[in-house]
Amino acid sequence: MLGSSVRAVRKLCCSLITVRERNCSLLLGEGDSCPFILNNVLPSTRRAAAAAKVAIHSFSSIPNHAPRLKDAYSAIELALDSVVKIFTVSSSPNYFLPWQNKPQRETTGSGFVIPGKKILTNAHVVADHTFVLVRRHGSPTKYRAEVQAVGHECDLAILVVESEEFWEGMNFLELGEIPFLQEAVAVVGYPQGGDNISVTKGVVSRVEPTQYVHGATQLMAIQIDAAINPGNSGGPAIMANKVAGVAFQNLSGAENIGYIIPVPVIKHFIAGVEENGKYVGFCTLGLSCQPTENIQLRMHFRMLTELTGVLVSKINPLSDADKTLRKDDIILRFDGIPIANDGTVPFRNRERITFDHLVSMKKPNEKALLRILRDGEEKEFSITVKPLQPLVPVHQFDRLPSYYIFAGLVFVPLSQPYLHEYGEDWYNTSPHRLCELALRELPKKPGEQLVILSQVLMDDINAGYERLAELQVKEVNGVEIENLKHLCQLIENCSAESLRFDLDDGRVIVLNYNSARVATSRILKRHRIPSAMSSGLLDEQQ
């Protein structure tokens, strides 16, 4: 049964290990010499010396490299008993009609088993799932899986399978280290175009913080020149006999440019789940910083020649930094590590990475020591880092959206998934004012939401107000609203004869309260809406 797959694996391993001139160009880079690799890619350690020795004798006899061939083949063969295919049935919410879901759809992805009888995969493989099955390589049987934890920011998820039969003969993959530039990796998974396992090879091209498409978060990622296609997501990138990362996205419009989630991000996710029983998120300082590469800017803030750092331009009011830092402070060092004028810090051998990576790798509520320059004087502050939620949620997977309907007025909290309903070009097609609020506004207090009038379900009670949809609701009977729950309470507990809504742009809606309550039931029945409020608000009201 496994003959064709094994032959394919042997062919891959040979192409990775065979020491011919063509393959040396592939692994070292076209036209690159060995000294270049030693100076710019490999560390100046025994490993560098070993690499030089291999490069110098690259045309020696193949039998001398038999152990490397055997090791590489064993690593791929190990993956065949570790990588699984994931079958997901999902149903996403309809944010324009938040009381109902969109039609369910079926997707596939990849995953691999890790110690503790768990399956690691991508969050987007199981996002908004209603049913999940997994299948081992070479097996016709599918097993029911449950999602134990999901981290949408880092695009990772952990699945568990109760069936003991599933785990028989499975090999648990160990996590390795971040590969160096030009090191070879093999991506194993189940991409579209076939039902059997697929193995593709590539080399590491770049290691740097990258925008994670699924979670819209900036975290470290590894760029490789192996194709990562739909279905590959969640599969391991193997280097030697350990996992170097998890395949998760590619670069749109480019060929053979894929990205894998590196081991530090994976370990941070798993450690958070094990310590807290659930996903806790990645930490942030809550700052927006500007580079200080311009010499006139540095002179203005009295930065001496030997000082480098970044300028604090905005501070999240909910962050611990808001208590100690100020706008126009210069952050010089983070935990003793100097920050360059472009916001980067040293990383490995002659590489640099933005200092945000250091922040994201800290545990929630851990302290960070910041050295800053303020009014020409250096100061040190100890700041607690923690995950911070934006005022307008970037994503809301695995839960139903909140809504409240009164007199045909549909109120919802503003979120980016709501704006995404306007299409792929949502930034240009959705209301411009709502986009600005979603991307720029910061929360002023915990639990705050921007509530908008999503639409008006037409009735005699609200005739003439239909053009006021897609505006932010600011006040109810003169009381500034904090969130959707607060708006619901103000309406439900209203004792006045009239109900007044003050909207953005100075617009006003006034309703007779008793007539509006009667109309609400009529409108819900006409539109076949089961409840005037989402389940979360309904539970709180009861």
Side-chain angles (χ1 to χ4, degrees), residues 121 126-127 129 131-132 145-150 156-160 398:
T121 185
V126 294
H129 67 278
F131 197 73
V132 181
E146 297 291 339
V147 179
Q148 183 187 66
V150 180
L156 290 170
I158 294 176
L159 313 183
V160 292
D398 306 321

Side-chain angles (χ1 to χ4, degrees), residues 310-445:
V310 290
L311 175 69
V312 175
S313 56
K314 190 181 293 185
I315 306 175
N316 190 319
L318 302 186
S319 68
D320 189 57
D322 187 58
K323 303 173 185 176
T324 52
L325 298 187
R326 302 176 188 169
K327 188 179 184 302
D328 291 347
D329 281 346
I330 305 290
I331 303 178
L332 306 175
R333 290 175 176 266
F334 181 87
D335 280 343
I337 302 174
I339 301 173
N341 292 327
D342 62 354
T344 62
V345 293
F347 174 66
R348 300 196 308 188
N349 182 50
R350 299 185 65 181
E351 296 177 68
R352 300 192 68 84
I353 196 169
T354 58
F355 87 98
D356 291 335
H357 171 68
L358 303 180
V359 182
S360 66
M361 288 297 102
K362 281 193 168 288
K363 295 181 179 180
N365 299 318
E366 190 175 349
K367 295 286 186 180
L369 185 63
L370 267 65
R371 188 168 187 83
I372 69 163
L373 181 69
R374 177 183 295 170
D375 299 328
E377 296 183 10
E378 294 188 31
K379 301 177 181 290
E380 281 194 350
F381 295 104
S382 180
I383 295 177
T384 302
V385 296
K386 59 183 179 180
L388 293 173
Q389 300 302 321
L391 175 60
V392 177
V394 176
H395 53 75
Q396 290 185 309
F397 298 104
D398 306 321
R399 54 178 164 171
L400 295 174
S402 300
Y403 71 91
Y404 178 71
I405 302 174
F406 185 78
L409 308 178
V410 182
F411 302 101
V412 300
L414 179 61
S415 65
Q416 284 198 29
Y418 173 85
L419 298 176
H420 295 167
E421 295 285 7
Y422 286 90
E424 292 185 3
D425 193 25
W426 60 271
Y427 184 79
N428 293 314
T429 56
S430 62
H432 181 69
R433 174 59 179 160
L434 296 185
C435 276
E436 290 298 311
L437 290 172
L439 299 176
R440 302 186 186 279
E441 287 292 314
L442 292 174
K444 299 179 180 63
K445 48 190 171 183

Side-chain angles (χ1 to χ4, degrees), residues 115 141 187 205 214 222 311 356 372 380 417 425 477 491 533:
T141 307
V187 178
S205 309
H214 177 70
I222 301 172
L311 175 69
D356 291 335
I372 69 163
E380 281 194 350
D425 193 25
N477 281 351
I491 296 176
M533 62 187 75

Side-chain angles (χ1 to χ4, degrees), residues 23-337:
N23 286 345
C24 284
S25 297
L26 173 65
L27 295 177
L28 299 179
E30 290 293 336
D32 290 343
S33 63
C34 293
F36 177 87
I37 292 297
L38 291 177
N39 290 333
N40 295 277
V41 177
L42 299 177
S44 55
T45 61
R46 293 181 180 178
R47 182 177 181 181
K53 184 176 180 181
V54 170
I56 293 171
H57 298 287
S58 61
F59 298 103
S60 61
S61 59
I62 291 179
N64 290 340
H65 299 273
R68 292 177 59 200
L69 176 60
K70 182 178 179 181
D71 290 344
Y73 172 69
S74 299
I76 305 300
E77 190 174 32
L78 177 67
L80 298 181
D81 290 324
S82 306
V83 182
V84 300
K85 187 170 185 177
I86 301 174
F87 302 82
T88 304
V89 179
S90 61
S91 180
S92 303
N94 186 333
Y95 286 88
F96 282 166
L97 304 173
W99 49 87
Q100 66 184 36
N101 275 3
K102 297 176 182 178
Q104 72 176 23
R105 61 193 185 100
E106 299 179 4
T107 56
T108 62
S110 306
F112 60 96
V113 297
I114 57 176
K117 289 189 175 181
K118 298 174 182 178
I119 299 173
L120 189 65
T121 185
N122 284 143
H124 73 259
V125 172
V126 294
D128 293 323
H129 67 278
T130 57
F131 197 73
V132 181
L133 295 171
V134 297
R135 190 186 70 194
R136 297 173 47 162
H137 172 65
S139 171
T141 307
K142 298 176 183 176
Y143 298 86
R144 178 70 187 275
E146 297 291 339
V147 179
Q148 183 187 66
V150 180
H152 290 290
E153 286 84 1
C154 58
D155 202 359
L156 290 170
I158 294 176
L159 313 183
V160 292
V161 178
E162 293 185 0
S163 173
E164 291 297 328
E165 181 185 10
F166 170 81
W167 296 105
E168 293 178 2
M170 293 293 278
N171 292 315
F172 301 105
L173 292 180
E174 299 286 343
L175 299 178
E177 302 295 335
I178 301 176
F180 287 88
L181 301 183
Q182 291 298 306
E183 282 197 288
V185 296
V187 178
V188 186
Y190 293 86
Q192 290 181 357
D195 193 46
N196 286 327
I197 200 167
S198 169
V199 184
T200 56
K201 62 183 175 66
V203 297
V204 174
S205 309
R206 186 180 295 155
V207 180
E208 65 181 2
T210 302
Q211 185 82 358
Y212 282 37
V213 174
H214 177 70
T217 310
Q218 195 90 357
L219 292 172
M220 178 188 282
I222 301 172
Q223 179 182 316
I224 60 175
D225 67 354
I228 296 178
N229 298 311
N232 254 134
S233 295
I238 305 290
M239 185 178 68
N241 61 344
K242 292 187 177 181
V243 174
V246 178
F248 76 114
Q249 67 186 35
N250 58 22
L251 183 61
S252 179
E255 294 185 3
N256 295 337
I257 295 182
Y259 295 90
I260 61 176
I261 303 171
V263 170
V265 176
I266 300 171
K267 287 183 176 179
H268 188 279
F269 165 72
I270 295 176
V273 173
E274 291 177 346
E275 293 174 10
N276 301 278
K278 61 180 181 179
Y279 172 69
V280 293
F282 285 74
C283 293
T284 175
L285 284 171
L287 304 175
S288 177
C289 297
Q290 175 185 338
T292 59
E293 296 173 294
N294 186 280
I295 188 171
Q296 297 165 94
L297 182 69
R298 295 198 299 273
M299 290 176 62
H300 175 77
F301 289 103
R302 291 188 271 177
M303 293 178 65
L304 300 177
T305 307
E306 65 272 15
L307 294 181
T308 60
V310 290
L311 175 69
V312 175
S313 56
K314 190 181 293 185
I315 306 175
N316 190 319
L318 302 186
S319 68
D320 189 57
D322 187 58
K323 303 173 185 176
T324 52
L325 298 187
R326 302 176 188 169
K327 188 179 184 302
D328 291 347
D329 281 346
I330 305 290
I331 303 178
L332 306 175
R333 290 175 176 266
F334 181 87
D335 280 343
I337 302 174

